[in-house]
């Protein structure tokens, strides 16, 4: 029997925990890390599969048996992770490196067909719902990191493996790229949280990895979009700047390989990268991918230019529905009919009482609209349409208000992680799917559909959770736009939907709500397409003096629109709120 090779190399002396160790990329990382001298802990969901993978690694590398360990766990189940780590601690006291490679592909369906229930999943022959994919991609990385970090010391390294597709269009893969986009934000935020403890967090963005699987995925995407064969593959390789030899006589642009990803991970795991924290490494052969698509509002909304006559707008409220009512009022002032969807029956009753007291019920319909109940949302849209006509636009709030989710992401409780993913991220997919289905093929729209997502206001504590939501929503908007464009080109729908996200937490002034309402209305009542995905509120809308002079112009813009109407102004006794109340009164409104 050959003598086991003594570990030497870049990772000598380091104990590495690798999730998803039996997969295509994971198995390459496992071999390279063992050859690099690491003591490797391979993890996977299935005990037999991960044990077989370990035997293969030992056979290929000639490593000593005690250099490669295994634990089986389900990263989507925090208790499963705890049980696995409890057993591991009997032999391993410290983890030096965590490679978060585990994940899943998610259901391969365009937005209008994304499975939200098990019955839908089974009918499509898929293996995951959108919620399953969220847990198996974002949830796994979040859970494993927060539970393994207590075993790490200063100098430790966390490497999260994302995908370049979390920054690009990727038809039919919204359930995959949305959680990956949120994972990107998780990496950045955890780098900021854990950096002061000496633990660094960095992210690897693989491009499309050369394999039979990715070629079959590209072929399927070409087929569903009606493209010529090879169109998708050519699109991605065409964006790569690097030409490499691939073992052929002729050098050509090619896809990166698992070995390329492993090399990036090995660098970030080693002391050679000990000064890097919060860094993104693209392993794409130079394929460009824009990381930011944003603009900041510089002016107030021009209320005079709003024209919602003949339009119907859906406003999906969160649990803090006062803001949604303000947005509804702005749309109604512009002439639109509003369907205000509230999350709970109790909210519906309270809102109806408020509206009656304010005498603003004209062109306003209030219903229960739970993002956790797809059938209920579709029924609410159908009932409204039957009575009032088609809905042309939607403004969508987060479910929970700013400050509901708080605290370090690396210390989040199990219930917080699960509720956050379900209520905010999966909930947004549910609303988007409902609208995508509703608008698909409609012939009775007088303008192209518009949708606007709104982030929360500032929570006063760094907005970590809001940044996770907005990162996921950004890619949801991106893919929705692209799929809608393809659907129109294929003749599946007459109108292509277009949308944006308004980021509110960049401003904490009293005018935030009204400013947001005005710009949301401008987006939903206007056929103009704003190219940027994220539209930020300015940090300073106006100081007290500027606000007063600006409000005068604002009042002039809305003079006549509020004549004979009732305006409800919160905080209207002093400061900017008082000025708003006085100017609305000058504009002819009865202020309460």
């Amino acid at each position: 029997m050959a003598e086991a090779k003594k570990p030497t190399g870049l990772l000598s002396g380091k104990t590495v925990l690798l999730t998803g160790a039996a997969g295509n990329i994971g198995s390459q990382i496992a071999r390279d890390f063992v050859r690099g001298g690491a003591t490797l802990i391979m993890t996977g969901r299935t005990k037999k599969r991960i044990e077989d993978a370990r035997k293969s690694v030992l056979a290929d590398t000639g490593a000593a048996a005690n250099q490669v360990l295994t634990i089986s766990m389900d990263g989507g189940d925090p208790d499963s992770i705890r049980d696995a780590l409890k057993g591991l601690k009997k032999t391993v006291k410290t983890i030096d490196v965590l490679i978060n490679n585990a994940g899943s592909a998610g259901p391969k369906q365009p937005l209008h067909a994304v499975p939200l229930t098990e019955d839908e999943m089974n009918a499509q022959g898929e293996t995951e719902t959108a919620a399953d994919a969220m847990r198996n991609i974002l949830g796994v990385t979040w859970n494993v990191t927060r539970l393994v970090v207590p075993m790490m010391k200063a100098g430790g390294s966390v490497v999260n493996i994302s995908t370049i597709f979390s920054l690009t269009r990727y038809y039919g893969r919204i359930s995959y790229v949305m959680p990956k986009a949120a994972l990107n934000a998780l990496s950045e935020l955890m780098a900021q949280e854990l950096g002061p403890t000496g633990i660094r967090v960095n992210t690897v963005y693989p491009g499309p990895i050369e394999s039979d699987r990715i070629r079959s995925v590209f072929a399927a995407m070409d087929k569903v979009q009606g493209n010529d064969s090879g169109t998708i593959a050519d699109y991605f390789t065409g964006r790569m700047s690097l030409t490499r030899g691939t073992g052929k006589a002729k050098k050509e642009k090619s896809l990166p390989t698992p070995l390329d990803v492993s090399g990036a991970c090995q660098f970030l795991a080693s002391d050679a990268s000990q000064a890097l924290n919060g860094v993104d490494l693209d392993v794409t052969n130079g394929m460009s991918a824009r990381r930011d698509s944003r603009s900041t509002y510089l002016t107030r909304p021009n209320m005079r230019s709003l024209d919602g006559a003949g339009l119907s707008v859906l406003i999906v409220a969160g649990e803090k529905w006062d803001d949604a009512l303000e947005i509804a009022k702005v749309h109604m002032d512009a002439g639109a009919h509003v369907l205000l969807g509230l999350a709970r029956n109790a909210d519906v009753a309270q809102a109806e009482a408020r509206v009656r007291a304010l005498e603003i019920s004209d062109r306003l319909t209030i219903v229960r609209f739970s993002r956790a109940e797809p059938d209920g949302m579709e029924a609410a849209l159908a009932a409204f349409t039957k009575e009032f006509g088609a809905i042309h636009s939607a403004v969508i709030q987060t479910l929970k208000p700013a400050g509901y989710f708080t605290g370090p992401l690396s210390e989040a409780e199990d219930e917080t992680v699960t509720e956050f993913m379900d209520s905010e991220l999966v909930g947004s997919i549910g609303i988007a799917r409902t609208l995508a289905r509703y608008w698909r093929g409609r012939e009775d729209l007088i303008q192209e559909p518009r949708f606007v997502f709104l982030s929360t206001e500032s929570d006063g504590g760094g907005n970590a959770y809001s940044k996770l939501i907005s990162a996921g929503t950004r890619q949801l908007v991106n893919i929705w736009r692209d799929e809608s464009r393809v659907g129109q080109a294929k003749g599946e729908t007459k109108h292509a939907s277009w949308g944006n996200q308004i980021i509110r937490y960049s401003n904490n002034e009293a005018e935030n709500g009204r400013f947001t309402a005005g710009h949301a209305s401008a987006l939903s009542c206007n056929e103009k397409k704003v190219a940027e995905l994220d539209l930020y509120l300015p940090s300073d809308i106006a100081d007290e003096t500027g606000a007063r002079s600006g409000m005068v112009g604002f009042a002039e813009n809305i003079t006549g629109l509020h004549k004979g109407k009732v305006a409800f102004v919160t905080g209207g006794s002093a400061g900017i709120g008082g000025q708003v109340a006085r100017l609305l009164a000058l504009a002819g409104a009865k202020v309460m």
Side-chain angles (χ1 to χ4, degrees):
M1 182 176 179
E3 183 179 351
K5 298 178 181 179
K6 185 178 180 180
T8 59
L10 196 62
L11 301 175
S12 294
K14 293 189 180 295
T15 299
V16 178
L17 191 148
L18 168 65
T19 68
N24 185 33
I25 292 176
S27 61
Q28 183 67 57
I29 294 173
R31 285 162 172 75
D32 292 343
F33 273 49
V34 169
R35 292 188 180 105
T39 296
L40 183 66
I41 304 158
M42 302 174 67
T43 80
R45 292 182 184 177
T46 306
K47 184 175 182 179
K48 183 180 186 306
R49 187 178 183 218
I50 200 65
E51 286 292 346
D52 288 346
R54 173 180 179 267
K55 292 176 182 177
S56 179
V57 169
L58 290 175
D60 288 350
T61 62
N66 63 359
Q67 192 184 343
V68 184
L69 311 176
T70 64
I71 55 175
S72 57
M73 64 184 191
D74 178 358
D77 179 359
D79 286 335
S80 174
I81 302 171
R82 289 188 182 94
D83 289 343
L85 293 180
K86 183 177 180 180
L88 179 66
K89 289 176 183 177
K90 295 176 182 179
T91 55
V92 175
K93 302 303 179 185
T94 302
I95 303 294
D96 299 300
V97 178
L98 168 62
I99 308 292
N100 280 311
N101 174 63
S104 68
K108 302 176 182 65
Q109 299 289 340
L111 178 58
H112 69 269
V114 167
L116 299 177
T117 67
E118 287 191 10
D119 287 344
E120 292 172 344
M121 175 189 76
N122 292 331
Q124 295 171 345
E126 296 285 354
T127 58
E128 294 177 293
T129 64
D132 293 333
M134 191 65 66
R135 283 170 169 74
N136 293 333
I137 298 173
L138 174 63
V140 167
T141 295
W142 196 350
N143 290 333
V144 173
T145 301
R146 64 192 177 88
L147 295 175
V148 169
V149 159
M151 295 182 65
M152 303 181 76
K153 297 180 180 179
S157 174
V158 177
V159 181
N160 293 327
I161 298 182
S162 181
T163 173
I164 203 67
F165 294 126
S166 63
L167 305 172
T168 69
R169 71 190 198 194
Y170 202 25
Y171 186 96
R173 303 302 302 280
I174 208 160
S175 298
Y176 171 66
V177 298
M178 185 182 179
K180 282 289 190 181
L183 186 154
N184 301 342
L186 180 77
S187 293
E188 180 181 347
L189 292 161
M190 282 199 171
Q192 297 170 13
E193 285 183 16
L194 299 175
T197 71
I199 297 172
R200 61 192 190 275
V201 182
N202 297 292
T203 311
V204 173
Y205 289 74
I209 300 301
E210 183 59 66
S211 64
D212 291 338
R213 174 180 168 275
I214 197 63
R215 296 293 179 180
S216 65
V217 168
F218 286 167
M221 291 172 68
D222 281 333
K223 183 177 180 180
V224 75
Q225 295 183 60
N227 299 330
D228 293 336
S229 178
T231 298
I232 299 296
D234 290 344
Y235 169 77
F236 285 116
T237 55
R239 296 178 67 185
M240 296 176 181
S241 60
L242 180 64
T243 298
R244 299 170 59 186
T246 57
K248 301 178 181 179
K250 180 182 178 181
K251 291 185 177 181
E252 60 185 3
K253 287 188 176 181
S254 59
L255 302 181
T257 69
L259 184 63
D260 297 321
V261 180
S262 177
C265 291
Q266 191 165 180
F267 167 65
L268 291 174
S270 73
D271 290 341
S273 64
Q274 58 187 331
L276 302 186
N277 187 41
V279 168
D280 300 337
L281 284 187
D282 293 356
V283 184
T284 62
N285 285 341
M287 188 179 95
S288 61
R290 186 177 180 183
R291 276 176 161 70
D292 210 356
S293 176
R294 60 181 286 174
S295 182
T296 300
Y297 286 114
L298 299 177
T299 61
R300 299 176 183 279
N302 184 353
M303 308 301 288
R304 181 179 295 172
S305 68
L306 293 182
D307 182 9
L311 301 179
S312 292
V313 179
L314 168 68
I315 298 174
V316 183
E319 292 179 354
K320 183 184 176 184
W321 51 266
D322 279 353
D323 276 355
L325 189 56
E326 179 69 23
I327 296 168
K329 287 160 59 181
V330 173
H331 280 85
M332 291 159 61
D333 288 343
H337 194 138
V338 174
L339 174 62
L340 178 58
L342 304 183
R344 302 170 296 203
N345 286 325
D347 294 336
V348 173
Q350 292 179 31
E352 287 178 337
R354 173 82 63 81
V355 166
R356 285 194 297 271
L358 297 176
E359 299 179 352
I360 57 171
S361 58
D362 290 348
R363 299 195 307 278
L364 177 62
T365 302
I366 303 174
V367 297
R368 183 170 182 269
F369 200 83
S370 172
R371 59 196 77 196
E373 300 174 7
D375 291 343
M377 289 190 289
E378 292 187 7
L381 295 184
F384 179 90
T385 303
K386 184 177 181 180
E387 184 171 0
F388 301 107
I391 290 170
H392 300 80
S393 304
V395 178
I396 304 154
Q397 293 184 306
T398 59
L399 180 64
K400 300 296 183 182
Y404 181 86
F405 297 107
T406 58
L409 297 171
S410 56
E411 299 175 9
E413 299 291 336
D414 296 352
E415 295 77 10
T416 298
V417 173
T418 299
E419 183 182 14
F420 175 83
M421 290 190 296
D422 287 346
S423 66
E424 301 300 350
L425 299 177
V426 179
S428 291
I429 293 177
I431 294 170
R433 191 193 79 162
T434 299
L435 289 167
R437 287 184 169 189
Y438 176 81
W439 285 325
R440 185 176 169 81
R442 292 203 76 90
E443 299 286 340
D444 54 349
L445 300 177
I446 62 175
Q447 75 169 36
E448 290 189 332
R450 293 289 182 266
F451 58 90
V452 184
F453 286 89
L454 306 181
S455 81
T456 63
E457 299 171 86
S458 175
D459 63 12
N463 302 302
Y465 288 88
S466 292
K467 290 175 181 178
L468 284 185
I469 297 172
S470 61
T473 302
R474 182 182 309 119
Q475 192 63 339
L476 172 59
V477 171
N478 192 19
I479 302 299
W480 189 353
R481 283 184 184 181
D482 182 60
E483 290 186 353
S484 185
R485 173 192 61 80
V486 172
Q488 184 184 44
K490 292 173 61 181
E492 296 174 347
T493 183
K494 182 177 180 180
H495 301 285
S497 304
W498 190 266
N500 303 90
Q501 175 179 209
I502 295 179
I503 305 297
R504 302 183 61 189
Y505 51 75
S506 53
N507 175 277
N508 58 10
E509 296 176 301
E511 278 192 85
N512 186 302
R514 181 69 184 181
F515 192 92
T516 299
H519 279 296
S521 303
L523 290 170
S524 62
C525 294
N526 195 326
E527 292 193 52
K528 181 180 178 181
K529 294 180 178 180
V530 179
E532 290 80 9
L533 296 168
D534 292 340
L535 305 175
Y536 279 72
L537 267 63
S539 58
D540 182 11
I541 293 173
D543 58 24
E544 185 68 12
T545 301
R548 288 176 179 168
S549 61
M551 280 294 176
V552 172
F554 183 69
E556 290 174 352
N557 282 336
I558 62 174
T559 296
L561 288 176
H562 292 293
K563 186 176 181 180
K565 296 185 181 296
V566 177
F568 181 80
V569 180
T570 60
S573 60
I576 293 176
Q579 186 70 9
V580 171
R582 288 189 290 275
L583 291 172
L584 286 173
L586 289 173
K590 180 181 178 182
V591 179
M592 300 181 66

